[in-house]
Amino acid sequence: MRNHALETVSIVTLGCSKNTVDSEVLVRQIQANNLAYTNDPKDADTVIVNTCGFICEAKEESIRTILEAGALKKQGVIKKLLVMGCLTERYRQELEATLPEVDAFFGTTDLDAILATLGVNLKRELLGERSLSTPSHFAYLKISEGCDNPCSFCAIPLMRGGHRSRPMEEIIHEAEFLARSGVREIIIIAQDTTYYGLDLYGERRLSSLLQAVANIDGIDWVRLLYAYPAQFPLDVLHVVREHPNVVPYLDLPLQHVSDQVLISMRRGISGRRTRELLRQIRDEVPGIILRTTLIVGYPSETDEAFRELVEFVRESRFERLGVFTYSREDGTSAALLGDPVPAEVKAERREEIMGIQQDISRQFNESLVGSKLPVLIDRAENGVFVGRTPFDAPEVDNEVYLTAEDTLELNPGSLVLARISDATEYDLRGYVQ
Ligand code: SF4
């Protein structure tokens, strides 16, 4: 309900977990400055759309969301509409020229200016504090901004700039704040988490950062996402193996395996080195869960290159895998290659790989039936508790559906030991006694 006494603000956050963190930082500042906050844009005086500009679909969704908020303004439901984030970084002039209903545009690092537009000041003492939009027992921890890698298909450096690591003390301060706020699972994110420290300390410091976060009281799970394969810092694997609360899980977007495509993508790694790295990771941390992301339909992806990718997916047996179809993004070096692979061929290739992955995922999940696994409860639904094992990141991986004896007090954030009784390709079922 709108608080007529206070100016009420609502943020609509699109895109990735980095945007989620940016919005959470802003909400903390808004609430600390005696402004009211609501999750419902219709109940706000000011709506802020935190946009994504990654690929076509994401850009379309951002525009659609701005227009929806613009309609609320035209109807007099809201007074002010602000737009922030990646889409502004990429298309500010076009947006300013075509969206007169928007009162002001901001980029990805304009916290001060946004607060000034709301008539308040940045409270520096609160930096490192956030108002979580995720369930209160897990949170993303952004360790750097931007990216220095030259991937030919990627527009992120155009929007987020070059790589800037956050000082380790600042990150630990924020992680301690999250632990004090009841967070049990910390998910480490960046554009490229493996690059952490190289700019600031002259060396890769991801492993020492991981250890420092793992040593914080109250953190049961530490999860690492967005690890870039080229020059992957192997010392990270020791930390994963040695620290029981660093979950045996690694998100390692590979994008492709064909040398010809990897060279054109400027990924800085060969197919042979990729396979070798996967072997090293599985040898160093037996039982580790590997998630990867692939792109199909890249301009230079021939049938032969795609066949190689299909074989690679079969032989590598990733426990978790996602596939994007190539999206030609203006301003990237790959854009010069055009977009020769027809959309229907891209869709067929994606479908073929996801079909193979479905079987691999089912077989892996079936191998867990009968075992006992830790499960972090995310929510309750119709008398069933829904959660994740250490093998599952929020929003992208599998879920576990649990029944529990009435005597047990289970809530979101409860960490339980569950017996797995059944499996499908993408979910598990079980019970807690
Ligand atoms: S690592 Fe490559 S794909 Fe990832 S954000 Fe950086 S440039 Fe983009």
Side-chain angles (χ1 to χ4, degrees):
M1 184 49 60
R2 185 179 306 221
N3 178 329
H4 292 288
L6 295 177
E7 175 85 6
T8 304
V9 182
S10 182
I11 303 178
V12 182
T13 303
L14 306 171
C16 68
S17 50
K18 292 99 185 182
N19 255 16
T20 301
V21 171
D22 294 347
S23 292
E24 292 174 347
V25 169
L26 180 52
V27 174
R28 178 76 182 99
Q29 291 284 335
I30 286 168
Q31 292 170 326
N33 271 293
N34 297 322
L35 296 171
Y37 182 78
T38 173
N39 284 321
D40 184 350
K42 293 192 198 64
D43 269 345
D45 300 298
T46 298
V47 170
I48 305 174
V49 180
N50 189 358
T51 60
C52 177
F54 182 41
I55 54 175
C56 289
E57 285 129 59
K59 294 186 279 187
E60 286 159 12
E61 185 193 17
S62 293
I63 298 291
R64 213 173 30 252
T65 307
I66 296 169
L67 294 174
E68 283 161 12
L72 289 179
K73 189 179 167 197
K74 285 192 188 116
Q75 294 155 18
V77 176
I78 67 170
K79 293 188 216 132
K80 208 185 279 183
L81 172 55
L82 309 180
V83 169
M84 65 181 279
C86 289
L87 197 70
T88 303
E89 293 286 359
R90 228 175 139 187
Y91 302 109
R92 182 186 287 270
Q93 279 159 355
E94 296 89 333
L95 295 171
E96 284 173 344
T98 53
L99 295 168
E101 60 268 55
V102 175
D103 295 278
F105 289 92
F106 304 93
T108 56
T109 55
D110 293 333
L111 187 58
D112 298 56
I114 296 169
L115 291 167
T117 305
L118 296 172
V120 297
N121 298 315
L122 176 70
K123 289 184 178 296
R124 288 192 183 287
E125 69 278 15
L126 295 182
L127 286 177
E129 299 190 9
R130 291 152 46 192
S131 294
L132 296 184
S133 56
T134 54
S136 59
H137 56 272
F138 76 79
Y140 296 103
L141 182 64
K142 185 160 67 166
I143 63 173
S144 61
E145 191 54 277
C147 188
D148 282 0
N149 295 318
C151 307
S152 63
F153 53 83
C154 182
I156 293 173
L158 303 173
M159 301 179 283
R160 294 268 171 179
H163 186 101
R164 289 99 70 202
S165 298
R166 296 175 66 197
M168 200 174 292
E169 319 71 61
E170 199 184 286
I171 298 170
I172 299 306
H173 170 75
E174 183 170 325
E176 287 165 346
F177 164 82
L178 294 171
R180 285 196 307 277
S181 320
V183 167
R184 306 189 71 163
E185 176 185 10
I186 283 192
I187 304 161
I188 293 183
I189 60 169
Q191 307 306 348
D192 170 7
T193 50
T194 65
Y195 200 96
Y196 179 73
L198 213 45
D199 55 325
L200 201 53
Y201 307 113
E203 61 181 17
R204 295 174 190 267
R205 291 260 184 104
L206 180 58
S207 56
S208 48
L209 176 67
L210 211 47
Q211 265 176 13
V213 174
N215 291 337
I216 295 172
D217 285 348
I219 300 299
D220 296 290
W221 289 358
V222 182
R223 187 181 303 279
L224 182 58
L225 303 185
Y226 303 105
Y228 191 69
Q231 292 107 39
F232 178 87
L234 296 169
D235 57 351
V236 163
L237 301 173
H238 304 162
V239 180
V240 177
R241 200 182 50 235
E242 307 304 326
H243 279 262
N245 64 341
V246 177
V247 294
Y249 177 101
L250 180 65
D251 169 41
L252 186 76
L254 294 171
Q255 313 304 1
H256 218 284
V257 76
S258 143
D259 283 341
Q260 172 264 106
V261 176
L262 287 169
I263 290 165
S264 176
M265 282 182 167
R266 302 183 181 179
R267 291 289 287 175
I269 191 170
S270 68
R272 190 181 61 74
R273 175 64 195 131
T274 299
R275 290 180 176 88
E276 195 183 289
L277 176 62
L278 295 179
R279 269 195 303 279
Q280 274 178 306
I281 293 171
R282 290 203 191 275
D283 289 350
E284 284 281 334
V285 189
I288 193 168
I289 300 302
L290 286 179
R291 155 167 273 282
T292 198
T293 310
L294 305 173
I295 293 177
V296 295
Y298 181 80
S300 68
E301 186 185 61
T302 57
D303 289 348
E304 191 200 347
F306 177 65
R307 285 290 125 217
E308 187 182 351
L309 187 64
V310 167
E311 278 325 300
F312 174 65
V313 168
R314 280 191 211 287
E315 73 188 43
S316 306
R317 302 189 68 78
F318 294 97
E319 288 79 10
R320 312 283 182 244
L321 180 144
V323 179
F324 282 97
T325 54
Y326 173 71
S327 172
R328 180 182 175 281
E329 292 302 320
D330 47 286
T332 63
S333 56
L336 305 170
L337 304 172
D339 196 1
V341 181
E344 56 279 8
V345 173
K346 290 179 187 173
E348 283 159 19
R349 289 179 179 176
R350 181 180 183 281
E351 225 165 279
E352 181 174 347
I353 289 185
M354 288 316 291
I356 295 163
Q357 184 58 26
Q358 199 170 358
D359 294 339
I360 292 171
S361 183
R362 181 186 308 106
Q363 287 157 24
F364 173 71
N365 283 349
E366 283 168 356
S367 75
L368 299 174
V369 173
S371 68
K372 270 198 165 183
L373 291 174
V375 174
L376 186 57
I377 305 289
D378 285 326
R379 63 186 189 280
E381 227 170 59
N382 311 325
V384 170
F385 297 97
V386 185
R388 290 169 293 111
T389 73
F391 309 150
D392 301 297
E395 299 168 83
V396 288
D397 290 332
N398 297 9
E399 290 188 313
V400 188
Y401 293 80
L402 296 178
T403 55
E405 290 168 11
D406 295 347
T407 51
L408 291 172
E409 271 280 316
L410 297 190
N411 297 297
S414 300
L415 187 53
V416 297
L417 203 53
R419 173 76 66 188
I420 304 303
S421 55
D422 194 10
T424 64
E425 55 269 355
Y426 294 126
D427 291 318
L428 298 174
R429 287 187 184 283
Y431 53 89
V432 186
Q433 287 172 320

